[in-house]
Amino acid sequence: MTSTAPGTSIMVVDDVPANARLLGGILRAQGYQVRECLDGTAALAAAADFPPDLILLDIMMPELNGFAVCERLKADEKLASIPVIFLSSLSDALDKVQAFSAGGVGYITKPFQIVEVQVRVEAHLTIRRLQVELEARNRELMESKERLKELQALQDSLVPMVVHDLINPLTAIACFADSLETAEWENLSAKGRGYVEHIRKSAGFLIEMSSSMLDVRKMESGQMQLNLAACDLGAIACEVVSRLEAMQGEPRVAFALPGQPAVVRGDALLLSRLFQNLVGNALKFVPVATGRVEIGLEPEGGRVRCTVRDNGPGIPPEHQGKVFDKFWQGTARQQGCKYSSGLGLTFCKMVVEAHGGKIGVESEVGAGSAFWFELPQDGPQKRAGRARKAGGNQN
């Protein structure tokens, strides 16, 4: 037989003292701690004082029979998990059904075989021991989960504060760099001018990333409100491209605009940053000498589809489903460039979805990428209002 876990406690309940002593002796010989009770009432009281690991329970007893004792055990939250094995001379199938219905885990018919008792006891104690270990692991997991929630809440409160406090000094750095370009440019060496340019671009990148972090946080928590108004996507795209090209130098963006304005109801500031992220992202990845970015707008069926296409390195198929994930980055080995800065495309996805639209990417390695989004022309709030009105008309 398998060795017994030290301290394992078993209660034997039988109104015949000889039977109780016999079972007690068998189990003590295996190393179990055994308590013997001669009636159901005493057994319930003893179990409440010191719950055993397993109970061997006779059925035919005066006052409280074994079925009633088992039902009361299972009704007590502190005792319900104790496995109960019935021992009885009753061999009818209905008696066994009643035993299992009362909460028993096993049934041994008297006169019993010692080996059968030993095997059944050991098996159910093993099951119970595994259950206890599983419950302990589950409690540990729940405690770890709650702790992680607390840490996440702390991080969610601290990160926006830190990022917000960083924006002011970063803005000051960018302003000083602009001032050096404007007032001291002629006095700077070629190397110094290069340093100023790097400072200005790096500060701008950090400010953009910090703003994206704050905006993503606001959108996730539902704190960002859309300032909806009529917006011409073509005009917004042109303004964004002019600003980016002024920073980049040589124009590298071509337009394929519709004959009439592509107007949607949306938040002009957020839509401007949407274009800035998509076009700026494309400009980072295209070749310096031959790189081109094309912006296309197609109004159709109450929606406007915008496509930002580039002739960059392209994105492998296995990465295309991840580029909009928060903080995800994938790197093209040959070019050494990242497909995502970690938050910019996440921000784009949130802006599009907040406007009731959808966004995606089509790409082929070596053939460039096309990021696209579609927006409803009448805006998310107006569409929701129509749905409510339609629902009201049905009443």
Side-chain angles (χ1 to χ4, degrees), residues 281-359:
N281 213 46
L283 288 172
K284 292 175 186 176
F285 300 149
V286 296
V288 175
T290 60
R292 294 290 293 172
V293 177
E294 298 178 0
I295 300 177
L297 290 172
E298 301 176 15
E300 184 178 355
R303 301 176 74 82
V304 177
R305 183 182 179 93
C306 173
T307 304
V308 178
R309 190 181 305 275
D310 65 64
N311 64 340
I315 305 172
E318 64 270 21
H319 292 327
Q320 293 178 22
K322 303 176 183 177
V323 295
F324 297 103
D325 293 349
K326 187 166 64 171
F327 298 122
W328 183 86
Q329 293 184 330
T331 303
R333 293 180 183 176
Q334 294 180 351
Q335 293 80 5
C337 57
K338 290 182 170 57
Y339 306 125
S340 168
S341 63
L343 281 174
L345 292 178
T346 302
F347 173 78
C348 292
K349 183 174 186 290
M350 289 184 167
V351 168
V352 171
E353 292 180 347
H355 283 80
K358 54 185 179 180
I359 190 170

Side-chain angles (χ1 to χ4, degrees), residues 49-64:
D49 290 339
F50 186 77
D53 296 301
L54 182 140
I55 296 176
L56 292 172
L57 181 60
D58 186 27
I59 293 177
M60 302 298 292
M61 296 186 297
E63 297 184 12
L64 283 179

Side-chain angles (χ1 to χ4, degrees), residues 16 46 53 70 74 88 109 155 164 198 217 269 314 327 341 362 385:
V16 178
D53 296 301
C70 188
K74 299 305 174 182
S88 177
T109 303
Q155 174 182 301
H164 184 273
H198 282 302
R217 170 61 181 157
L269 179 60
F327 298 122
S341 63
E362 298 168 0

Side-chain angles (χ1 to χ4, degrees), residues 17 90 157 231 271 279 292:
L90 301 174
S157 62
C231 300
L271 293 177
V279 178
R292 294 290 293 172

